[in-house]
Amino acid sequence: MSQAEAETAETAEAVKVDIKALEQEGEIAADYIEGLLDIADLDGDIDMDVEGERALVSVVGATLDELVGRKGEVLEALQELTRLAVHRQTGERSRLMLDVGGFRERRRSELSKLGTEVGEEVKRTGEPKALSPMTPFERKVVHDAIAAMGLRSESEGEEPNRYVVVYAE
């Protein structure tokens, strides 16, 4: 086996380990969320997946608006608590994504559309445009939409009032 083949095999093995680790994160998170649902006497099914380089855990089924909260604030807090539960068991920092009732998917779609609309406006006017404060997840979706248009965006400000500015370059 050549050096290049050995490195490729090593990389492939590392990827397998990462997927196993992400699946483990998802299982730990699912157990934690199931426990919370039981305590709160809420119904919901748990779906687990690996998306990109992060575990994705979704609570689906019943109406779970109380787990999303106003503008997703409760969902953000639950995600952080779930990440802490995963960290406690694995000792590793988790980038786990938690979704409840499809809230994040709907929000991702809305924000992609917003990013495209703002990008078109900035292209047309040539003037930078600042958006309202957003969560890290929301800013990432907007940055991705702006980058796909060949434009530049930056996050500015301090949490929790951090926002995206879109530039024409």
Side-chain angles (χ1 to χ4, degrees):
M1 180 181 291
S2 72
Q3 179 69 23
E5 289 172 329
E7 288 175 7
T8 301
E10 213 172 281
T11 302
E13 188 61 32
V15 169
K16 285 181 193 171
V17 171
D18 285 346
I19 289 175
K20 286 181 183 176
L22 292 174
E23 288 171 346
Q24 179 189 14
E25 279 186 25
E27 288 182 23
I28 294 167
D31 289 345
Y32 179 77
I33 294 296
E34 277 184 21
L36 288 177
L37 291 173
D38 287 344
I39 290 168
D41 196 28
L42 295 170
D43 291 324
D45 295 321
I46 310 288
D47 286 342
M48 294 180 297
D49 200 4
V50 173
E51 184 179 283
E53 295 181 7
R54 63 174 61 187
L56 176 63
V57 176
S58 301
V59 182
V60 296
T63 306
L64 298 166
D65 293 340
E66 56 271 348
L67 294 180
V68 173
R70 191 175 71 83
K71 296 185 179 180
E73 292 156 340
V74 174
L75 176 56
E76 288 292 324
L78 279 175
Q79 178 172 280
E80 288 308 309
L81 288 172
T82 305
R83 286 177 173 176
L84 285 172
V86 170
H87 180 264
R88 187 171 181 200
Q89 285 195 33
T90 65
E92 300 291 325
R93 182 179 173 274
S94 174
R95 294 184 59 232
L96 173 113
M97 180 73 69
L98 177 64
D99 195 3
V100 174
F103 175 82
R104 284 201 196 275
E105 280 307 310
R106 287 189 304 277
R107 191 71 179 130
R108 183 184 312 240
S109 177
E110 293 167 1
L111 291 166
S112 290
K113 183 178 176 189
L114 172 67
T116 301
E117 290 170 355
V118 170
E120 291 298 333
E121 179 183 337
V122 168
K123 274 185 176 180
R124 191 176 61 254
T125 65
E127 295 294 317
K129 176 145 179 136
L131 303 177
S132 301
M134 298 177 182
T135 67
F137 162 76
E138 293 171 328
R139 290 192 309 270
K140 167 107 174 62
V141 173
V142 172
H143 285 306
D144 289 348
I146 297 301
M149 297 179 72
L151 297 174
R152 181 174 64 92
S153 60
E154 293 180 8
S155 291
E156 296 184 9
E158 298 293 321
E159 293 292 354
N161 296 312
R162 206 154 159 75
Y163 57 96
V164 173
V165 180
V166 181
Y167 298 93
E169 356 179 314

